[in-house]
Amino acid sequence: MSKINLGNFFEDFEIGQKIVHPLPRTITDGDVSFYIALTGSRFALHSSDVLAQKMGYKKKPLDDLLMFHLTFGKSVQDISLNAIANLGYAEVSFPNPVFVGDTVRLETEVIGLKENSNGKSGVVYVHSIGYNQDEQEVLNLKRWVMVHKKNKEQMSGIKQIPTFEKTQPIAKNINIPIQKNIDTAATGGKFFFEDYVAGERLNHPEGITIDDSDHTLATKLYQNNAKVHFDDFMMKSTPMKQRLMYGGHVISIARSISFNGLENAQWIYSINSGAHANPTYAKDTIYAFTEVIETIEHEREDIGLLRLRTIAVKNQKPEEIESPKDEDGKYLKNVVLDLDYTVIIPKRKTKK
């Protein structure tokens, strides 16, 4: 019996299959600092213990996306080691904060399978839940990934595609401290929930050029060893001719760019859906714009929620793009990410 793990191919998955992923991860200050180095993230809550304590925390919580990557990375060797591409996300939520010193792990259930008509691959749909050392849920997500088939001559015809909610329902109890007297000098932003309106568009001016070393180190940090990200020698023999950048890294870059205009939106409540519209490679420069889809009141008097759509584009300024899709409904070639997500942002005034 071989001792080598070659990863799962499309035929190895079954509907209802449950997987407990190995490699739980204890999070360190080094992880936090390295994430800032790789993404340029500037959200103040995740940078300062002093500010976090003023905002009601014992110390700074992890950036939601860093926690996402560190937890999500556990699934790669079982789900997407033989992936062609990660295609999208839905129903992603962050129920409890994570702090340095916490240990996260992940469990997954296969909820759908669709064999592609070319017989070479199929799409695997999974539901993953992340837990901390106290068995509190810290991440809940669904995603779908295109995976190579082992036997390209044999067709199963399986086509069981799950349905997804368009948005995550807004919980009555949101697990963040009461927000009051926000220090705008520290957060870097003067705009609050009341200042945003549905239909508003923010063209974020900064661009970030991603080097080979950036996305290589990012996938290593997250222990995301998918071959399409790790193995440049193998990828040179494919039509892409080079390593594919981890889509999650593009999400983090877009979130970092969105800081300018959304400085006080410190928390991600949910990712409603996400599509990696086109591949991203080393040396691409990422820009982004954000549309406010909806402003959402909450029964708490100190916070509101903004449902946003952030579009990331490569090598093109956001103001040059009116719509991310053409007349036929297809994504423009420079659009790399279409992310529908909901953030929590303090209100300007809190009733006493």
Side-chain angles (χ1 to χ4, degrees):
M1 182 177 180
S2 175
K3 296 181 175 63
I4 303 299
N5 176 18
L6 298 178
N8 290 315
F9 292 86
F10 180 74
E11 299 96 323
D12 296 318
F13 294 100
E14 298 178 359
I15 303 291
Q17 179 181 357
K18 295 184 178 181
I19 303 169
V20 178
H21 302 290
L23 305 179
R25 177 74 170 263
T26 299
I27 297 164
T28 70
D29 276 315
D31 296 324
V32 175
S33 297
F34 202 11
Y35 181 76
I36 293 173
L38 293 171
T39 65
S41 179
R42 292 184 284 165
F43 289 96
L45 174 63
H46 314 300
S47 300
S48 168
D49 282 333
V50 173
L51 180 64
Q53 288 163 5
K54 289 181 180 178
M55 296 173 73
Y57 291 93
K58 59 183 179 181
K59 57 182 178 180
K60 63 180 185 290
L62 247 66
D63 187 303
D64 296 308
L65 288 179
L66 172 57
M67 188 277 295
F68 171 87
H69 297 313
L70 291 173
T71 309
F72 165 90
K74 309 297 103 188
S75 71
V76 170
Q77 76 171 49
D78 298 310
I79 304 299
S80 45
L81 186 63
N82 294 310
I84 298 170
N86 192 57
L87 299 178
Y89 309 93
E91 300 181 21
V92 182
S93 61
F94 305 86
N96 288 289
V98 173
F99 302 91
V100 168
D102 285 349
T103 298
V104 295
R105 66 179 187 85
L106 194 71
E107 297 182 4
T108 291
E109 180 178 356
V110 179
I111 59 173
L113 293 169
K114 181 179 76 70
E115 186 176 41
N116 290 333
S117 58
N118 61 15
K120 298 178 180 180
S121 61
V123 180
V124 181
Y125 300 82
V126 298
H127 180 193
S128 298
I129 301 177
Y131 301 92
N132 66 14
Q133 69 279 359
D134 298 319
E135 296 304 305
Q136 294 176 318
E137 189 177 309
V138 297
L139 178 67
N140 196 311
L141 74 99
K142 295 177 182 177
R143 70 164 174 140
W144 48 105
V145 57
M146 189 181 300
V147 179
H148 285 289
K149 284 179 61 178
K150 191 184 308 180
N151 186 347
K152 297 177 175 57
E153 306 301 323
Q154 186 173 345
M155 298 288 290
S156 67
I158 190 168
K159 187 178 181 180
Q160 295 188 36
I161 304 173
T163 58
F164 302 106
E165 296 293 334
K166 187 175 182 180
T167 60
Q168 284 287 85
I170 303 303
K172 180 178 180 180
N173 297 315
I174 294 180
N175 193 9
I176 65 171
I178 298 296
Q179 299 302 302
K180 53 186 177 180
N181 301 322
I182 301 299
D183 184 354
T184 57
T187 64
K190 61 182 180 180
F191 299 112
F192 292 85
F193 174 75
E194 299 91 337
D195 299 311
Y196 296 87
V197 295
E200 182 177 3
R201 171 167 163 160
L202 305 171
N203 287 322
H204 309 295
E206 292 87 0
I208 297 179
T209 301
I210 307 177
D211 298 321
D212 247 329
S213 58
D214 295 337
H215 75 96
T216 299
L217 290 171
T219 50
K220 289 177 180 177
L221 174 65
Y222 313 138
Q223 297 172 313
N224 179 345
N225 63 327
K227 297 174 184 177
V228 293
H229 308 317
F230 263 35
D231 193 338
D232 188 61
F233 181 78
M234 179 198 77
M235 291 302 292
K236 284 178 179 176
S237 65
T238 71
M240 296 179 185
K241 302 298 183 185
Q242 58 184 311
R243 280 179 298 167
L244 180 67
M245 190 172 297
Y246 166 45
H249 191 57
V250 179
I251 293 175
S252 284
I253 294 297
R255 168 73 171 159
S256 296
I257 291 171
S258 77
F259 172 84
N260 190 339
L262 291 163
E263 293 92 341
N264 286 324
Q266 304 282 335
W267 307 265
I268 298 178
Y269 175 77
S270 65
I271 297 175
N272 304 308
S273 63
H276 298 297
N278 287 290
T280 307
Y281 303 106
K283 299 183 181 179
D284 282 339
T285 299
I286 305 299
Y287 296 92
F289 66 89
T290 297
E291 298 171 347
V292 179
I293 301 174
E294 184 182 4
T295 61
I296 305 168
E297 289 280 356
H298 194 270
E299 64 180 58
R300 278 179 55 168
E301 297 176 344
D302 59 321
I303 58 171
L305 297 96
L306 303 175
R307 183 180 168 202
L308 306 173
R309 184 189 187 193
T310 291
I311 305 295
V313 297
K314 61 182 181 181
N315 309 323
Q316 188 174 10
K317 294 294 184 69
E319 56 269 24
E320 298 173 358
I321 296 179
E322 182 176 348
S323 171
K325 294 183 179 181
D326 62 21
E327 294 178 353
D328 297 325
K330 295 181 179 180
Y331 284 106
L332 303 178
K333 65 180 182 178
N334 280 19
V335 173
V336 294
L337 175 69
D338 186 347
L339 190 69
D340 179 331
Y341 62 114
T342 302
V343 298
I344 301 169
I345 185 168
K347 289 185 176 178
R348 182 176 299 280
K349 295 179 181 179
T350 302
K351 295 179 182 179
K352 296 182 180 180

